[in-house]
Amino acid sequence: MKKSAIICFFLAIVAGITSAQKTKHAFALGDSTFLLDGKPFQLISGEMHCTRIPRAYWRDRMKKAKAMGLNTIGTYVFWNAEEPEEGHFDFTGNNDIAEFIRIAKEEGLWVILRPSPYACAEWEFGGYPWWLLKDRDLKVRSKDPKFLKYYHDYIMALGKQLSPLLVTNGGNILMVQIENEYGSYSDDKEYLNINRKIFREGGFKGLLFTCDGPSQMPRGYLPGYLPAVNGLDNPKEVKTLINKYHDGKGPYYIAEWYPGWFDSWGSPHQGSNADEDAAKLDTILSAGISINLYMFHGGTTRGFMNGANMSKRDPYSPQTSSYDYDAPLDEAGNPTAKFYKFRSVIEKHLPAGTKLPPVPAKQKTIAIDKIYFDNWAPLFFNLPKPVFSKQPLSFEELNQGYGFVMYHTTLKNPVSGILKIKELRDYATVYLNGERLGILDRRLRQDSVEINSTGSNVKLDILVENNGRINYGPYLTDNRQGITEKVSLNGNELTGWKIYKLPFKTTPITKTLIANKDIYGPEPAMYPGIFYLKETGDTWLDMRGFGKGFVFVNGHNLGKYWYIGPQQTIYVPGCWLKKGPNVIVVFDELKSNHAGISALDHPILNEVVKE
């Protein structure tokens, strides 16, 4: 074959592939089913979030979704991940939602996109950026013009990333959700319609839908658009409910079906019965109802991005970093017994002659012997330059979103009585002259500690942690962090504060190190170490024996630990380890005298310790 002919042949192949990749499909609402290219199509979907899964593992998780029988992936997009600072968008690395969706297409999966600025999802502030709270008067999730401007700008930026991937443009995004469980919050249809208009302006053409719990749907649905239901799995009830709010017809879509649940600190690990779930799934699919499993794969809420629940009846309750969810794929992405039971059910509902691909192998796991800490870096000796203020400043007033803040003042005269922090958010350790006086925990409605000082010029330090902003319910709008009001002693306000910002955005820098020789009292500190590996694999740091804090490995904030459980390990993805030297830094605010740490080849997620 002549060279020119070879070139023409190659170009023809490339053109054919490009044309196939851009093939446009039609996705529409039928009276009882979805229609893909005019034919009935049942969504069998599972939820995954790109920010909760290491980018290197995205494709593996997609292949496993396909192997269980899913034809679609449901996914939130978290505003506070994509726009971490006002006007600064980050669509790179683990935030590259467009690449996440493209990989799904390459693996033969459709996508249901849920990019509403409010997500819930046990995610910090429900997905809203912390910097919205710098303006005390701004009200999220409302028609406040200031909020709507930020909302608009975000959706415009997101639209540039994702609108080319809509099914109408040759992509694999079938539907887009506007708002999320809005009926749990309010019933302003004008606000919902503003959402719709913003999404349309952002290039999100095609089908839009809402989702709500059964009792919330009257408040949360937008007339004229498909109302999906969450948390309902009785086929007759699903159809009756959607018919009622969608002109007497379908399609019928359960946007969130829960074959598992999330964990909160101090409570037992949550889960569900795999056999009962499989039977429910069979019933739903047999009724021709489309479904999205929340979650198919939970992954991990790393860094400081866990959310919290709170209601008038129930106290503040922060969620764990592990988002295992008792899902078909566990936190590390390995198939569970539930996965195989669901796979068997879905196989029964596949078109004749269709076979599922084989299940990919499990991830390699390793255990690591003792990782030694030769030194420790006390926090009091490694503080940055302070900010001076008459009154305590909140995180937002300090232009800080997450992590910790240390508040310092001096008690000039001997005193005794009650030290009270008004509106503490969320967890504080209190020190007098460097010795811990007490712990205050918003979960337990603790905001006061007794203080007795017989000396003069006593140093008072209050280390405050953002334990996770509320992600659901009416308290969503009241989410400022730190000491948000004042500190008083026997009713008298304390003033004159040095305030140290400790966001821990990157691996903590330990300037002042002390050798691990002498026993010392409970003092917040960093513990740096180096460990060497001959092979890599997924592993779990054993945090039993530690108090409360977080861990960095090779520059990655792996998330939080807390001795109360139920999560007693921290998952370390093997893709973030390397042969040779690896760097670890553990921060512990409660316990001390750590000589080292080890890693297991399995997680411990159901061990609650009484406080």
Side-chain angles (χ1 to χ4, degrees), residues 237-438:
E237 293 176 0
V238 169
K239 292 183 178 182
T240 300
L241 183 69
I242 292 177
N243 283 340
K244 183 176 180 180
Y245 297 102
H246 198 231
D247 299 326
K249 57 185 179 181
Y252 308 104
Y253 181 43
I254 302 172
E256 292 187 11
W257 177 62
Y258 307 115
W261 201 246
F262 61 87
D263 287 342
S264 298
W265 290 113
S267 300
H269 180 54
Q270 300 296 299
S272 62
N273 184 284
D275 290 317
E276 292 176 0
D277 287 342
K280 290 178 182 177
L281 179 61
D282 193 17
T283 300
I284 292 164
L285 296 182
S286 297
I289 294 173
S290 289
I291 192 170
N292 180 49
L293 284 65
Y294 192 100
M295 303 288 295
F296 164 68
H297 173 44
T300 310
T301 309
R302 295 181 180 83
F304 303 118
M305 300 310 291
N306 68 283
N309 279 338
M310 186 173 173
S311 67
K312 292 181 180 180
R313 182 184 62 188
D314 298 319
Y316 171 81
S317 178
Q319 291 116 18
T320 61
S321 291
S322 171
Y323 204 58
D324 176 84
Y325 221 90
D326 194 33
L329 290 188
D330 65 18
E331 182 181 6
N334 292 309
T336 65
K338 191 174 289 184
F339 175 98
Y340 289 101
K341 291 179 187 295
F342 287 5
R343 174 181 160 97
S344 295
V345 168
I346 295 171
E347 277 185 312
K348 293 166 50 180
H349 298 274
L350 296 176
T354 303
K355 291 186 178 181
L356 294 179
V359 179
K362 288 188 174 184
Q363 300 293 127
K364 179 183 176 182
T365 61
I366 62 171
I368 304 174
D369 292 334
K370 197 89 168 184
I371 300 168
Y372 292 99
F373 304 133
D374 294 326
N375 305 283
W376 65 287
L379 184 64
F380 288 116
F381 294 170
N382 286 275
L383 294 172
K385 291 182 179 180
V387 174
F388 295 89
S389 176
K390 183 178 180 181
Q391 278 84 26
L393 300 175
S394 68
F395 276 50
E396 293 77 13
E397 289 167 325
L398 293 164
N399 198 34
Q400 178 178 327
Y402 315 109
F404 297 72
V405 169
M406 178 81 84
Y407 298 86
H408 170 88
T409 192
T410 301
L411 305 178
K412 295 182 179 179
N413 302 310
V415 292
S416 62
I418 300 299
L419 181 78
K420 181 180 177 65
I421 303 177
K422 185 177 181 181
E423 293 301 332
L424 168 68
R425 312 284 180 79
D426 301 300
Y427 188 90
T429 44
V430 182
Y431 303 87
L432 280 184
N433 284 339
E435 294 187 6
R436 192 166 75 205
L437 178 67

Side-chain angles (χ1 to χ4, degrees), residues 303-304 403-404 465 502-504 506-508 526 543 548-552 557-561 570 585-589:
F304 303 118
F404 297 72
E465 177 187 359
L502 301 163
F504 295 118
T506 56
T507 304
M526 282 85 62
M543 306 312 300
K548 187 178 194 300
F550 57 85
V551 181
F552 272 86
N557 188 333
L558 301 178
K560 299 179 180 180
Y561 65 90
I570 290 183
V585 177
V586 178
F587 175 76
D588 196 335
E589 60 186 298

Side-chain angles (χ1 to χ4, degrees), residues 444-492:
L444 306 177
R445 296 189 172 98
Q446 297 169 336
D447 64 359
S448 304
V449 63
E450 187 172 356
I451 185 171
N452 290 288
S453 170
T454 57
S456 300
N457 296 318
V458 173
K459 297 177 182 178
L460 172 66
D461 292 283
I462 306 172
L463 178 63
V464 178
E465 177 187 359
N466 168 3
N467 230 358
R469 289 184 178 86
I470 296 165
N471 59 260
Y472 181 82
Y475 293 98
L476 183 75
T477 58
D478 183 17
N479 250 329
R480 294 165 72 81
Q481 290 291 308
I483 297 177
T484 61
E485 294 293 339
K486 63 181 180 180
V487 181
S488 62
L489 183 57
N490 290 330
N492 299 312

